[in-house]
Amino acid sequence: FASGMGRDSHKGAIPQIPKAMRFEYFRQLLNFYARNEAVRSPVLESQTRKGEQTRQAILDAAVLRFARSGYRSTSVADIARAAGVGGTIAFAYFKNKEALFMAAVDQDVAAHIQEGLAFVTDSQDSRKQPEADWQQRLFFTLVATAEQHPLSRRLLAGLEPEATDRVLEIPALKELRAACATRLQSEQTAGTIRLDVDPLVMANGIVAIMLALLMSVVQLGSTATTGYATEVAAVFAAALRPTSPRS
């Protein structure tokens, strides 16, 4: 059969792809069509949505499995089964186990931070709050919602030390630092805090102290540590309070 075919008969034929590479080939093909408006079709858009749903299902399962058993004791096959997909499907969306773990960390930590970010960014709410209140409310919200974000809680408990550096550079944490700096700048403009402090430096310090308090709460228990939140807020207030002119 093969010997009876001329070279020209191969033109326009579907390329012969090794079985092991077919899934990745078609995934990349779908991504190409998804990025090009001119070649989109309802079928391709439906497949793209399905792919996004599959990826999200894998991520959600990864958050729960990694939170429960840890990175070392969790396999990608475990996560795939929990997500209801084939054992190799996860590798179409994540390069390897480490990439899947870091994506799960990014998702859960970001969702945890978003719980408290509203107290920093809500301008309408900010007009009702004394300067130190948003810092206390941010902290207490992050403490209260830690149970709802099990992988974030596991990291705060120090159970995944290899991921600590990654968490400190997570985009959501950078967003929180930036939001705190913007809030402090607006308070400087309003004259409610000192003008001689760098808002970005102070915001970095506030976030660092809150992370340390959160880790203490998770590791030692809220009874032993949350009482210090008011004292810490008092320190922030004293550091930021405008200085009165000497008479």
Side-chain angles (χ1 to χ4, degrees):
F1 178 77
S3 61
M5 295 178 63
R7 289 185 179 181
D8 291 342
S9 64
H10 288 285
K11 292 181 179 180
I14 296 175
Q16 297 302 304
I17 305 168
K19 186 176 181 180
M21 299 174 59
R22 288 176 191 171
F23 190 90
E24 177 64 16
Y25 171 80
F26 286 111
R27 185 184 73 82
Q28 292 185 13
L29 189 63
L30 285 173
N31 286 340
F32 167 77
Y33 284 120
R35 290 193 300 268
N36 291 270
E37 296 281 349
V39 294
R40 284 187 184 177
S41 72
V43 173
L44 286 172
E45 289 182 356
S46 175
Q47 291 173 330
T48 299
R49 285 193 299 271
K50 184 177 179 181
E52 292 169 351
Q53 292 169 356
T54 299
R55 183 182 188 278
Q56 189 59 53
I58 294 169
L59 261 183
D60 292 343
V63 167
L64 296 177
R65 298 290 299 201
F66 283 132
R68 184 175 70 185
S69 303
Y71 177 79
R72 295 186 183 280
S73 299
T74 302
S75 69
V76 176
D78 293 334
I79 293 168
R81 280 193 296 271
V85 300
T88 61
I89 298 298
F91 294 111
Y93 299 94
F94 305 96
K95 181 179 179 180
N96 50 37
K97 177 181 171 180
E98 182 182 0
L100 176 54
F101 176 70
M102 289 306 180
V105 167
D106 285 356
Q107 173 174 293
D108 203 43
V109 174
H112 190 187
I113 290 173
Q114 287 295 326
E115 300 274 11
L117 193 59
F119 293 115
V120 184
T121 59
D122 189 338
S123 59
Q124 183 176 1
D125 187 54
S126 69
R127 291 194 293 268
K128 304 174 185 176
Q129 300 178 41
E131 296 80 50
D133 280 5
W134 66 269
Q135 298 154 20
Q136 292 186 57
R137 294 174 71 180
L138 169 62
F139 171 71
F140 282 117
T141 299
L142 293 176
V143 169
T145 56
E147 291 291 345
Q148 301 169 28
H149 303 284
L151 187 51
S152 178
R153 182 180 177 84
R154 183 178 179 86
L155 295 170
L156 290 169
L159 299 177
E160 299 289 349
E162 297 87 352
T164 301
D165 290 344
R166 168 65 177 228
V167 172
L168 294 176
E169 296 303 320
I170 194 172
L173 201 54
K174 293 181 180 180
E175 182 183 357
L176 179 60
R177 294 188 188 105
C180 288
T182 300
R183 178 66 183 264
L184 292 170
Q185 286 176 331
S186 68
E187 290 176 352
Q188 283 182 325
T189 301
T192 55
I193 67 169
R194 296 168 53 176
L195 296 175
D196 61 340
V197 296
D198 186 325
L200 183 57
V201 172
M202 189 62 68
N204 289 342
I206 289 172
V207 172
I209 291 171
M210 287 192 177
L211 279 176
L213 281 173
L214 272 172
M215 293 177 72
S216 298
V217 168
V218 171
Q219 296 178 26
L220 301 177
S222 59
T223 304
T225 55
T226 51
Y228 291 103
T230 302
E231 285 80 358
V232 171
V235 172
F236 288 153
L240 294 170
R241 187 180 301 121
T243 54
S244 302
R246 296 182 178 181
S247 54

